[in-house]
Amino acid sequence: MGNTRFIPALTVALLLLNFVVSFSTKTTTNISIDQSALLALKAHVIDPQNLLTTNWSSAFNICKWIGVTCGSRHRRVIALDLSNMSLSGIVPPHIGNLSSLTWLNMRNNNFHSSLPIQLVNLNRLKYIRLSFNNFYGEIPSWFGSFPKLQYLSLSYNNLIGQIPSHMFEGLPRLQVLYLAVNRFSGKIPLSLFQCKKLEDIDLAGNSLEGDSTQRNRKLDHA
Ligand SMILES: *[C@@H]1O[C@H](CO)[C@@H](O)[C@H](O)[C@H]1NC(C)=O
Ligand SMILES: *[C@@H]1O[C@H](CO)[C@@H](O)[C@H](O)[C@H]1NC(C)=O
Ligand SMILES: *[C@@H]1O[C@H](CO)[C@@H](O)[C@H](O)[C@H]1NC(C)=O
Ligand SMILES: *[C@@H]1O[C@H](CO)[C@@H](O)[C@H](O)[C@H]1NC(C)=O
């Protein structure tokens, strides 16, 4: 008789165990995607101050790594702040695997690469700040597809060419646009007028038509 009461309890216990196991597997899977993306980044950069060398270690949870912030529910990486770390090297394609990223700040380093196309996978991004680096090449046409992007700063790099004419059509939430002091040329795209929320813009120090030569901005605006 005791057995009939035991069976439902066992079933519940097994279901619970199954839930816990599948839940943690899922979380671990995603954390390890983020972890391998960050370890790939670490492997591609030169880190003269050894800020990442011991800190970004698989022995510790990535959510405790310097510059990394995880979301409270899914424990995915939602923000990456590598500003002012004297890092150089390239940004590897793996950055596109941080699929929950909303905030990317690499300001004031020496990253030397083109803008990795895999960034386009990060469609939750609200904030991209890559100013004061050596990013080069053109702004690719795919760049204008960040539906949530509010802040974009690419100032003080070596970007060249025209600003893609349709770029701003895919940036409906843009509030801040800093592209100052690069080597952009050509016309300022009319699609810029589609950014109805734009509050602050700086395009100075390029060769854009209608470009202002004033550079009286505050540096921390880049
Ligand atoms: C984990 O990753 C898988 C596949 O990449 C995805 O389908 C799933 O939604 C992710 N889970 C969470 C909690 O983010
Ligand atoms: C890594 O850096 C963070 C932030 O500075 C710090 O809280 C953490 O203790 C460091 N971890 C290790 C293992 O040094
Ligand atoms: C990086 O430097 C800028 C300018 O000095 C400063 O405003 C910002 O707070 C610094 N960021 C971090 C994460 O220390
Ligand atoms: C992450 O992205 C890279 C390059 O884009 C890819 O080769 C790799 O398989 C991805 N890694 C994981 C763990 O998903």
Side-chain angles (χ1 to χ4, degrees):
M1 280 315 234
N3 276 353
T4 48
R5 246 186 289 155
F6 178 68
I7 286 167
L10 186 67
T11 310
V12 169
L14 282 175
L15 280 176
L16 206 61
L17 184 67
N18 184 42
F19 173 77
V20 168
V21 167
S22 67
F23 181 77
S24 58
T25 308
K26 210 174 171 187
T27 309
T28 311
T29 306
N30 289 335
I31 286 234
S32 65
I33 290 173
D34 286 357
Q35 176 177 300
S36 59
L38 293 175
L39 288 176
L41 178 63
K42 177 183 172 183
H44 280 86
V45 303
I46 298 157
D47 173 21
Q49 298 180 35
N50 291 321
L51 291 167
L52 312 181
T53 311
T54 51
N55 193 287
W56 281 24
S57 152
S58 324
F60 304 99
N61 187 307
I62 56 169
C63 300
K64 304 232 160 93
W65 290 4
I66 190 169
V68 176
T69 305
C70 293
S72 49
R73 266 192 306 146
H74 296 308
R75 312 303 292 158
R76 299 286 318 270
V77 175
I78 57 166
L80 190 58
D81 184 353
L82 302 178
S83 58
N84 312 330
M85 288 188 172
S86 308
L87 303 174
S88 61
I90 69 154
V91 178
H94 306 73
I95 190 146
N97 295 350
L98 297 173
S99 55
S100 292
L101 203 65
T102 62
W103 211 83
L104 176 63
N105 187 356
M106 296 184 158
R107 182 188 191 271
N108 192 24
N109 286 287
N110 290 302
F111 285 108
H112 186 82
S113 68
S114 50
L115 300 170
I117 188 164
Q118 290 78 10
L119 275 182
V120 78
N121 299 336
L122 306 181
N123 57 14
R124 298 185 187 184
L125 279 172
K126 293 179 180 165
Y127 182 102
I128 300 178
R129 193 171 194 175
L130 303 177
S131 44
F132 295 94
N133 276 287
N134 287 305
F135 286 100
Y136 59 79
E138 303 193 354
I139 297 186
S141 56
W142 51 261
F143 206 82
S145 50
F146 296 105
K148 299 186 172 168
L149 196 66
Q150 296 171 8
Y151 185 108
L152 175 62
S153 177
L154 302 173
S155 294
Y156 291 86
N157 278 290
N158 280 308
L159 297 164
I160 59 167
Q162 304 203 1
I163 299 173
S165 57
H166 298 290
M167 172 166 165
F168 300 104
E169 290 167 14
L171 305 176
R173 307 258 176 101
L174 200 65
Q175 293 174 10
V176 171
L177 176 68
Y178 297 143
L179 301 179
V181 194
N182 279 283
R183 294 189 282 133
F184 293 121
S185 56
K187 291 189 174 149
I188 297 168
L190 289 174
S191 65
L192 186 60
F193 292 103
Q194 298 189 16
C195 300
K196 305 284 187 213
K197 311 219 157 143
L198 209 58
E199 292 167 358
D200 199 1
I201 180 168
D202 189 354
L203 307 175
N206 288 292
S207 305
L208 292 164
E209 283 177 40
D211 192 358
S212 153
T213 49
Q214 281 178 294
R215 290 198 199 170
N216 55 358
R217 298 154 302 98
K218 283 192 252 156
L219 278 188
D220 59 13
H221 271 193

